Amino acid sequence: MRTRGLVAGFLAAVVCLTGCLTGCAQSVDPIERLGKKAAERVGTHAPAAEPPYRRWGLERPPAPAPSPASRRVPLAAGSGLPAVVDRVPTRDKVVFLTYDDGAERDPRFVGLVRELRLPVAMFLTDSVVGPGYAHFGRLRAVGATLENHTLDHPAMRGLPYAGQRAEICGQQRKLHDRFGVRPRLFRPPYGAYDATTLRAAADCGISAIVLWRVSLEGDGNLAYAGGEHRLTPGDIIAVDPDETSGPTLRARTVRLLRRIQAAGLTVGRLEDYL
C-alpha cells in the first residue's frame, strides 16, 4: 500500500509539473508584452527617408521637362549639312546641360544624375577619356547621352578635310565599338569650325554642330556668348570640364541647378530637341 501511495504521489507531481511548464510556455511576461507593443509602434512611425533633391543640396526637386513629342527642331533644311546651334529655338522652359572632354570623372556625379534623373549630354574626346570609358558607361546606364568631341581634341578650323574627317569619324567608331551608339551631335573643340568641318561632320553622320550660349566657368560664374545676360529658354550651357582644384563637378552642377530653378527653368534632354 505504501508503494502504491508513493507511485500515485509521483504521478500527481509529474502531472502538476507538466501543466505548470505548459502554462508557463504559453504565458508572456507583462514587461515583454509592453516591449513588443512599443517596438510595433516605433516600426509603424519610422521617419521618412530624406528626398534625393535635399541630399544633393536643392530646396526642391527639378521640375520635369515637357514631353518631347514633336518638339525636335528641323535642321539642315535642304543643304545636307549639319546645322550649327548655340541655343534651341523653343518656348519650353528648358535649358540643356553639356559637358566636354571627359577628363573629370567625379564618382558622385553618377549618383546625382541617377537620383535627380538629370538629362546631361557628355561630349567625349577619346585621348582625354583614356581608360575612363567605364565611368561614362555608368553615366549612360543612368540616362546620360554620349556625343562626339573628336579623337584628339585639335582645333578643327583650317585642318584639311581628311584630317577633320578622321577626327570625327574616328570617334564615331570608338563610341560605336564601346557602346553601340553613333552620335548625331558633334561639338568641335574650342568651338572652332569651318565649312570643311560641316562637310566632314555630315559625311560621318552628324546632324548638328552643338556650340553654347552660356558657359559655367571654374569660378562658378556664368559667361554669355551673346544676347541677354541671363538664362533663357533653349539655352545650351557648357560646364567647364577642366577644373583640377576647387568644387567638384557634382558641386558645380548643383550650384548651376539652383540658378536654373531660380530662373523658373528646368533641364531638358538636348537630343529630344535636335
Side-chain angles (χ1 to χ4, degrees):
M1 293 295 293
R2 186 177 180 183
T3 301
R4 290 179 184 176
L6 289 173
V7 170
F10 176 77
L11 291 175
V14 169
V15 170
C16 179
L17 179 61
T18 302
C20 178
L21 291 174
T22 303
C24 292
Q26 291 175 345
S27 66
V28 178
D29 185 84
I31 301 299
E32 182 181 355
R33 185 184 299 115
L34 289 173
K36 286 183 177 180
K37 289 184 177 180
E40 290 171 358
R41 286 197 299 271
V42 170
T44 57
H45 297 286
E50 186 179 28
Y53 65 89
R54 288 199 179 278
R55 283 203 299 274
W56 295 108
L58 298 176
E59 293 183 359
R60 61 183 185 277
S67 171
S70 303
R71 294 182 185 276
R72 184 169 291 178
V73 177
L75 300 175
S79 69
L81 296 177
V84 180
V85 296
D86 62 5
R87 64 179 306 279
V88 173
T90 180
R91 294 182 179 179
D92 290 348
K93 292 185 176 182
V94 295
V95 294
F96 307 97
L97 297 186
T98 65
Y99 301 76
D100 289 356
D101 303 343
E104 189 173 355
R105 296 187 280 276
D106 178 0
R108 292 195 68 195
F109 183 71
V110 180
L112 176 73
V113 171
R114 180 185 67 250
E115 292 194 14
L116 297 184
R117 299 181 180 181
L118 196 62
V120 296
M122 318 299 294
F123 287 84
L124 301 182
T125 295
D126 181 68
S127 62
V128 177
V129 175
Y133 273 107
H135 172 80
F136 294 98
R138 289 189 286 273
L139 272 171
R140 181 170 180 264
V142 298
T145 53
L146 308 182
E147 303 295 352
N148 192 324
H149 197 43
T150 71
L151 283 174
D152 297 307
H153 209 270
M156 303 290 277
R157 184 186 296 134
L159 291 180
Y161 171 83
Q164 296 205 38
R165 190 178 190 281
E167 284 287 339
I168 301 171
C169 287
Q171 182 63 341
Q172 292 286 83
R173 286 191 295 272
K174 288 275 187 178
L175 293 173
H176 181 264
D177 290 346
R178 289 181 179 273
F179 303 110
V181 298
R182 291 189 184 276
R184 294 184 299 102
L185 307 182
F186 169 66
R187 173 169 286 166
Y190 317 106
Y193 70 96
D194 56 19
T196 302
T197 310
L198 299 183
R199 288 196 297 116
D203 292 344
C204 295
I206 297 296
S207 61
I209 306 291
V210 179
L211 305 180
W212 59 91
R213 193 186 83 84
V214 184
S215 59
L216 177 67
E217 301 183 327
D219 58 7
N221 290 321
L222 293 179
Y224 299 89
E228 299 181 67
H229 280 215
R230 65 182 183 89
L231 293 174
T232 60
D235 281 342
I236 297 173
I237 305 173
V239 178
D240 187 349
D242 298 323
E243 287 301 301
T244 56
S245 61
T248 62
L249 187 64
R250 167 191 52 82
R252 299 201 308 279
T253 299
V254 168
R255 291 179 185 176
L256 178 56
L257 288 174
R258 292 194 195 110
R259 298 185 71 160
I260 291 169
Q261 288 183 332
L265 302 167
T266 192
V267 180
R269 186 175 181 272
L270 183 61
E271 291 76 6
D272 287 341
Y273 285 78
L274 295 179

